[in-house]
Amino acid sequence: MNNGYNDDNIQVLEGLEAVRKRPGMYIGTTSVVGLHHLVWEIVDNSVDEALAGYCDDIEVIVGKGNTITVKDDGRGMPTGINNKTGLSTIETIFTVLHAGGKFGGGGYKVSGGLHGVGASVVNALSSWLEVYVYRDGEVHYQKFENGGHPVDSLKVIDKCSKDRTGTTVIFKPDPEIFKETTIFNYDTLATRLQQIAFLNKGLQIKLIDEREEDKNSTFLYNGGIIEYVAMLNKNKKPIHDDIVYVEGKENDVIIEVAMQYNDSYNSSIFSFVNNINTGDGGTHEDGVKRALTRIINNYAKKNKILKDNDDQLTGDDVREGLTMIVSCKHPDPQFEGQTKGKLGSAEVKKIADDVFSNGFERFLLENPEEAKIIIEKATIASRARKAAKKARELTRRKTALDTFNTIGKLSDCTSKDATISEIFLVEGDSAGGSAKDARMPKTQAILPLRGKILNVEKARLDRALSNEEIRTIITAFGTGIGQEFDLSKLRYHKIIIMTDADVDGDHIRILLLTLFYRFFRPIVEAGHVYAAQPPLYKIVYGKKIKYVLTDEELTEFRATLPPNAKITVNRFKGLGEMDAIDLRETTMNIENRVLKRITVDDAMAADQVFTDLMGENVLPRKTYIEENAEFAADLDI
Ligand code: 1YM
């Protein structure tokens, strides 16, 4: 054969073709999320080089045509021939599935969790891709086209200074694959690149957007995760000045922890393994939490703050108001769980416990003032927990039906099958009345809410439980709350927030979502929470009736009509104005209604959103609402 292709080449191209046929198998989705995944794949290779200690400068450039350039100042990819494939190492990395990881042995790799499908997948899903390697005083270059076909073999195209080393990759995602969009989102890129910079102190990451003039950000944190905690607490009120920082290494596993308490009642603990967020925690987080509880209890006993007969402070007590980052670097991490968001490596628990307890114990000894503040906070939390336990008992239902009848306001459904049951949380009694007439009594329960519910961002569980609206909601759900929470007892698999499409309605919705997010998070995570989408207009056109949700839709609908068509347009001022038929047809009837599921895509982002929106400081709330005018109507936490 002399057409430039041998059996090996053909096999390689078949591999890339498989990626193009089923991109979802390799990058999860071809939506905007998958599009950004391509950037992370290439950036991860540069970050691995930084973790290995050879790179401290990474640049990401979004080109005018939505191309991506990633540059690093590492060693440069190896330029020799790979004896397994007979191709250059570089061509192998970009055309053989999973090649990258297999070659570079040892060291800490970002890859291993969700990432790590490799540079070849990016190549397969790109219209074209170019790689420049600066190494040994030479510039090596190769280009690929149409989903990974090499235009030529790797060539030296120039000389460079011997000191200049690094890798540059430029690519353009293939619009045939990314049919939804090939437009990169600056904020998505900035958020993750900033996170990587926080997690790797001293690593500079620059983001440049050439689509807009002067749009760029540079992330460089010599304080690493200490600066991360400072940022997370920026809109909160810290109760001590110094951020606790602990670092240590055992058997090649590095543990780093930074933490600071604030005056809120929530804990925001975020953990990472090799720069990947472990949203479901795992052994690194467990080890640190266990040590935190033990060390605080020991210190309190030793200093006679806790008497011998007093109950121990619980994990929840010592974590109240805590903002903490746990970062673990591991040469071969094992991930668990459906989304691989949990570290399973068993040996890490003891290592994390050892490293953190040594460092934290020392901190408490050296900083008695801060120790006092921290222990006082936990003691008050403990007292409040006991008060909450009493209050909670009031919300505990004896038998399902029994207590139901005692919740006067609830119009329950007759079915006891939670999987088909729904509860509508409705703003106000008049809308509650319409909803009651409009519902399917077998599967739809109605709970009218009077007045505003308490903002739990500023209240502890015991105070929340003294709020009647909140108590009613907890009793109706059936799950209990706090330590007794049990998702399997949830009475309704659809919890539907139905509020007016105005400012008050938005506010009530956000208050409810804050309550769910802070106190019933598993309900949100399991996808049980929805927002109803009541229409804004009713249009009568001849004998036809049409409902539309937004002003834009109204304009669009008008455009489809003949110029002199006679129509009447009725704008609903609120749910209370709709009669039962309107409400049933548009918002409640399973056949026609549009529900918006509230998802927690990114717990870290959601946490920050609620702090900003609902916390004490007014400025961030104002800024947030101004910057995200659409937010209230379209909340994806
Ligand atoms: C813009 C993307 O890929 N940088 C990069 C990649 C590698 C190296 C350095 C590297 C790694 C090793 C040795 C090693 C990779 N090398 C490989 C493989 N930037 C970017 N920078 N020398 C250089 O891991 O031992 C895969 S990635 F497999 F060839 F070693």
Side-chain angles (χ1 to χ4, degrees):
M1 262 204 308
N2 213 355
N3 55 4
Y5 285 91
N6 58 29
D7 289 353
D8 280 347
N9 294 146
I10 288 167
Q11 235 180 349
V12 162
L13 291 175
E14 275 172 0
L16 296 191
E17 200 43 47
V19 178
R20 291 179 64 81
K21 275 214 182 93
R22 300 188 149 183
M25 293 248 304
Y26 299 86
I27 54 165
T29 156
T30 53
S31 67
V32 66
V33 175
L35 179 76
H36 288 78
H37 206 114
L38 302 186
V39 184
W40 312 139
E41 281 303 330
I42 302 299
V43 167
D44 281 353
N45 282 334
S46 298
V47 175
D48 285 348
E49 189 66 357
L51 286 171
Y54 298 102
C55 153
D56 56 20
D57 206 338
I58 300 174
E59 210 169 285
V60 178
I61 304 163
V62 187
K64 279 211 165 67
N66 281 286
T67 56
I68 292 286
T69 302
V70 183
K71 284 187 198 174
D72 69 48
D73 66 346
R75 287 167 290 179
M77 287 178 168
T79 53
I81 298 289
N82 177 266
N83 52 23
K84 253 203 197 127
T85 61
L87 302 166
S88 71
T89 302
I90 289 178
E91 186 168 336
T92 308
I93 290 172
F94 282 98
T95 58
V96 178
L97 293 182
H98 299 292
K102 282 193 201 128
F103 290 98
Y108 305 101
K109 293 249 183 295
V110 182
S111 28
L114 285 174
H115 301 251
V117 289
S120 56
V121 170
V122 179
N123 196 16
L125 302 178
S126 294
S127 306
W128 52 262
L129 180 147
E130 293 176 310
V131 52
Y132 295 83
V133 168
Y134 303 81
R135 201 171 159 136
D136 305 323
E138 290 175 325
V139 185
H140 306 256
Y141 172 83
Q142 189 167 20
K143 181 168 185 175
F144 306 86
E145 274 176 357
N146 299 326
H149 296 251
V151 175
D152 199 347
S153 57
L154 183 73
K155 291 271 157 32
V156 174
I157 55 161
D158 207 350
K159 285 190 181 137
C160 64
S161 146
K162 279 226 177 230
D163 303 336
R164 164 92 159 94
T165 63
T167 308
T168 300
V169 173
I170 315 171
F171 65 94
K172 182 173 172 59
D174 190 342
E176 293 283 311
I177 303 281
F178 299 95
K179 291 205 172 78
E180 262 176 48
T181 181
T182 49
I183 300 173
F184 286 98
N185 180 297
Y186 188 87
D187 291 336
T188 305
L189 296 171
T191 305
R192 171 69 181 146
L193 294 175
Q194 181 184 39
Q195 184 176 67
I196 295 172
F198 275 132
L199 292 164
N200 299 279
K201 56 181 150 213
L203 173 62
Q204 171 166 290
I205 307 184
K206 203 164 178 188
L207 173 63
I208 299 164
D209 193 341
E210 289 179 345
R211 299 167 303 180
E212 266 182 62
E213 220 169 290
D214 286 336
K215 188 156 189 186
N216 60 74
S217 318
T218 302
F219 307 112
L220 166 63
Y221 304 104
N222 290 320
I225 59 171
I226 298 179
E227 292 188 58
Y228 203 168
V229 167
M231 185 201 72
L232 292 171
N233 269 348
K234 195 180 66 197
N235 293 325
K236 304 186 185 186
K237 287 192 187 132
I239 57 171
H240 56 101
D241 290 336
D242 287 346
I243 294 174
V244 183
Y245 176 74
V246 172
E247 169 183 38
K249 183 174 174 180
E250 251 178 59
N251 290 341
D252 282 337
V253 177
I254 303 172
I255 298 288
E256 260 187 291
V257 182
M259 60 178 248
Q260 186 184 36
Y261 285 89
N262 59 68
D263 74 345
S264 82
Y265 309 116
N266 309 306
S267 83
S268 307
I269 299 178
F270 302 109
S271 61
F272 299 84
V273 175
N274 295 357
N275 298 316
I276 298 167
N277 183 207
T278 33
D280 300 324
T283 49
H284 54 331
E285 202 179 301
D286 292 345
V288 172
K289 283 181 181 168
R290 180 175 72 182
L292 180 77
T293 311
R294 188 182 66 246
I295 300 297
I296 290 188
N297 271 297
N298 288 351
Y299 185 94
K301 281 229 178 79
K302 227 188 211 155
N303 292 281
K304 307 271 184 273
I305 303 169
L306 272 186
K307 307 279 168 321
D308 284 345
N309 295 340
D310 286 349
D311 288 342
Q312 295 255 332
L313 299 166
T314 66
D316 284 338
D317 297 339
V318 304
R319 292 194 294 269
E320 191 186 277
L322 179 64
T323 299
M324 177 188 256
I325 298 283
V326 178
S327 172
C328 169
K329 306 247 164 84
H330 195 298
D332 182 27
Q334 303 300 312
F335 292 95
E336 282 181 351
Q338 229 171 16
T339 52
K340 300 275 175 215
K342 187 171 181 184
L343 180 67
S345 314
E347 77 287 0
V348 175
K349 188 160 174 175
K350 183 172 179 306
I351 299 175
D353 185 321
D354 283 352
V355 168
F356 181 72
S357 47
N358 285 334
F360 185 49
E361 205 161 25
R362 202 217 237 110
F363 174 89
L364 293 177
L365 285 175
E366 288 172 359
N367 301 276
E369 277 304 307
E370 320 229 37
K372 200 173 143 225
I373 293 169
I374 291 170
I375 289 176
E376 204 159 86
K377 168 101 179 153
T379 325
I380 296 170
S382 161
R383 252 179 266 139
R385 175 174 51 83
K386 285 171 194 153
K389 190 162 179 245
K390 285 200 190 111
R392 208 160 43 217
E393 275 157 13
L394 299 174
T395 67
R396 203 178 291 139
R397 45 205 320 171
K398 292 167 205 111
T399 68
L401 263 181
D402 197 26
T403 335
F404 254 169
N405 296 334
T406 69
I407 313 175
K409 294 188 287 178
L410 179 81
S411 304
D412 202 9
C413 55
T414 53
S415 168
K416 292 197 191 68
D417 178 355
T419 60
I420 57 163
S421 298
E422 309 179 339
I423 184 166
F424 285 80
L425 305 179
V426 190
E427 169 186 358
D429 280 339
S430 80
S434 298
K436 214 173 138 182
D437 292 337
R439 71 180 176 140
M440 293 272 301
K442 182 165 177 241
T443 55
Q444 297 184 320
I446 308 293
L447 182 61
L449 300 170
R450 282 183 209 118
K452 296 246 159 103
I453 62 160
L454 182 78
N455 176 5
V456 297
E457 199 63 28
K458 294 184 208 158
R460 213 183 248 131
L461 187 56
D462 58 328
R463 230 188 94 214
L465 285 169
S466 64
N467 179 278
E468 199 188 320
E469 303 293 324
I470 291 181
R471 264 211 322 266
T472 313
I473 291 171
I474 300 167
T475 316
F477 285 5
T479 53
I481 194 164
Q483 281 162 335
E484 289 156 8
F485 180 88
D486 183 352
L487 185 61
S488 70
K489 293 207 176 118
L490 182 64
R491 281 266 293 127
Y492 314 93
H493 278 200
K494 285 204 173 75
I495 294 163
I496 302 166
I497 302 173
M498 192 156 80
T499 52
D500 289 344
D502 59 13
V503 179
D504 273 351
D506 291 343
H507 192 203
I508 294 172
R509 181 164 57 225
I510 293 176
L511 288 166
L512 282 168
L513 290 173
T514 311
L515 172 72
F516 297 161
Y517 185 72
R518 292 293 180 208
F519 290 163
F520 298 99
R521 194 168 308 173
I523 291 181
V524 186
E525 283 168 347
H528 292 305
V529 180
Y530 297 81
Q533 312 255 58
L536 203 53
Y537 295 103
K538 176 181 186 175
I539 307 158
V540 183
Y541 170 45
K543 283 202 175 114
K544 286 196 196 126
I545 295 178
K546 179 154 175 81
Y547 299 92
V548 297
L549 294 179
T550 59
D551 287 307
E552 290 79 43
E553 274 182 54
L554 177 64
T555 316
E556 263 171 43
F557 179 72
R558 278 188 201 275
T560 65
L561 297 173
N564 50 1
K566 272 220 161 91
I567 61 168
T568 43
V569 178
N570 179 13
R571 188 180 205 278
F572 297 115
K573 286 207 194 69
L575 291 164
E577 261 194 13
M578 289 179 147
D579 60 30
I581 296 170
D582 286 335
L583 199 59
R584 179 184 306 134
E585 283 312 306
T586 61
T587 316
M588 295 181 68
N589 181 343
I590 302 183
E591 311 273 313
N592 311 330
R593 72 184 181 195
V594 186
L595 291 183
K596 189 172 167 56
R597 185 184 241 155
I598 307 295
T599 54
V600 196
D601 279 340
D602 183 345
M604 289 194 79
D607 197 86
Q608 207 61 29
V609 165
F610 284 119
T611 305
D612 290 356
L613 281 177
M614 298 315 235
E616 306 267 354
N617 293 347
V618 178
L619 187 66
R621 175 166 40 212
K622 201 164 158 270
T623 320
Y624 195 94
I625 291 171
E626 279 165 7
E627 284 173 6
N628 298 274
E630 292 282 294
F631 166 80
D634 190 30
L635 187 77
D636 257 4
I637 55 173

